[in-house]
Amino acid sequence: MSTATTAAGERGAAHHTAPGTPPGAWRLGLARGALEVKQFFRQRDQAVFTFAFPIVLLFLFASIFSDDVEGAGITASQLYVPAMIAAGIMATSFQSLGISIAIERDEKQLRRLRGTPMPPAAYFLGKVWLVLVTGLLETAALLTVGAVFYGVDLPTEPSAWLRFGWILLLGLTGCALLGIAISSVPKSGQSASSVVVLPFLVLQFISGVYISIDTIPSWMLNIGALFPLKWLAQGLRGVFLPESAMVLEQAGGWEYGRVALVLGAWCIGGLALCLMTFRWKSRRDG
């Protein structure tokens, strides 16, 4: 979708406001979000890859490593489900935004949007809506696969779903802000995938996504603990796995307080990084 079409759609949304009243950032952000979601699903190859990739990985790992985990009361297949949900959440937020915003900047779409009357906040609100929609859909798909094929028991207590809600919200927010921040690192849109995917891939290995926490060297775990993915995966394991699986964690517990603290810190730190580093123009444009 071109920038002109996007801008036209956002101007169309303004007609729903009272005559003579400029549309607010929230209303424009909602309109921008609807356009972002439509644009995402119109790119069918991208949409299919985004949703299918974590599911395919879950199928592969859960099929290869399907034995019981000694002393944990679960199978390796069940252990992979919350880990892949965490990776899927970060893929639809950190990876997706880091690459797409870098490409939009390189193609001068951001520069043209900056020259319109649209408040800058509306652009970021649009990205937030995109991340929420895709993140929730990805999570629902992985949970369905985990429950149907790998015997993951969905929680029955409202408190567990409430816990899942704040972990998901903090994880999506922190990873999305980190994605916006890293979008300023690539020198061009062509290099965005390499710059963003490499650290994401490394984090998945040292955060307990592909490899069980109890088999990862402590120094790697300590590095992974500095970033949100490790805590997002740990919190989700606490929601969807039995208490007996706590023995696999580095500290022997789910540590919900620390999960909230680290993910919340990344929300604040990610916002600060965005404010300090975000650019509307590419480096070639000055």
Side-chain angles (χ1 to χ4, degrees):
M1 183 183 294
S2 66
T3 304
T5 304
T6 301
E10 287 158 357
R11 286 195 297 269
H15 294 162
H16 296 287
T17 60
T21 302
W26 178 258
R27 183 183 294 274
L28 284 175
L30 186 60
R32 175 79 192 183
L35 290 170
E36 292 273 4
V37 172
K38 289 179 182 178
Q39 182 178 358
F40 174 82
F41 283 104
R42 284 174 180 170
Q43 298 173 349
R44 295 183 181 178
D45 292 345
Q46 176 188 355
V48 170
F49 178 82
T50 299
F51 291 119
F53 187 65
I55 294 175
V56 171
L57 284 181
L58 173 60
F59 172 77
L60 290 174
F61 280 103
S63 299
I64 296 171
F65 306 102
S66 57
D67 296 335
D68 291 340
V69 180
E70 185 177 355
I74 59 171
T75 64
S77 302
Q78 293 171 321
L79 184 63
Y80 276 112
V81 173
M84 294 309 303
I85 291 174
I89 290 172
M90 195 166 186
T92 56
S93 51
F94 170 78
Q95 180 176 282
S96 177
L97 292 187
I99 295 173
S100 64
I101 294 176
I103 293 174
E104 290 174 4
R105 181 185 293 110
D106 193 50
E107 294 177 347
K108 296 182 173 57
Q109 293 184 34
L110 295 187
R111 187 176 182 179
R112 290 193 289 269
L113 284 173
R114 191 71 178 93
T116 67
M118 182 185 74
Y123 172 78
F124 297 107
L125 284 172
K127 294 296 185 184
V128 168
W129 284 115
L130 174 64
V131 166
L132 282 174
V133 171
T134 55
L136 287 173
L137 289 176
E138 182 77 88
T139 301
L142 286 165
L143 273 180
T144 301
V145 171
V148 173
F149 296 102
Y150 301 115
V152 172
D153 294 326
L154 299 182
T156 56
E157 305 84 3
S159 60
W161 285 110
L162 180 62
R163 191 181 305 122
F164 168 70
W166 66 255
I167 292 172
L168 177 66
L169 182 60
L170 288 178
L172 274 174
T173 303
C175 292
L177 290 170
L178 192 56
I180 295 172
I182 202 173
S183 71
S184 297
V185 175
K187 293 183 179 180
S188 67
Q190 293 179 339
S191 64
S193 294
S194 301
V195 172
V196 175
V197 171
L198 179 59
F200 179 41
L201 181 62
V202 172
L203 280 178
Q204 289 177 88
F205 275 98
I206 66 176
S207 300
V209 173
Y210 298 144
I211 303 173
S212 178
I213 286 289
D214 61 342
T215 61
I216 301 174
S218 296
W219 67 271
M220 285 189 180
L221 283 176
N222 292 335
I223 294 175
L226 299 174
F227 298 93
L229 182 57
K230 187 261 186 188
W231 301 100
L232 180 57
Q234 181 172 313
L236 292 175
R237 284 194 292 270
V239 173
F240 297 110
L241 297 182
E243 295 293 313
S244 58
M246 286 194 299
V247 298
L248 300 175
E249 300 299 331
Q250 188 177 19
W254 303 128
E255 300 181 286
Y256 291 121
R258 186 169 292 183
V259 170
L261 181 63
V262 175
L263 293 181
W266 268 108
C267 292
I268 299 172
L271 179 59
L273 283 174
C274 291
L275 294 174
M276 291 187 295
T277 63
F278 188 81
R279 295 178 289 106
W280 293 92
K281 298 186 293 183
S282 66
R283 297 177 185 178
R284 295 193 301 270
D285 297 329

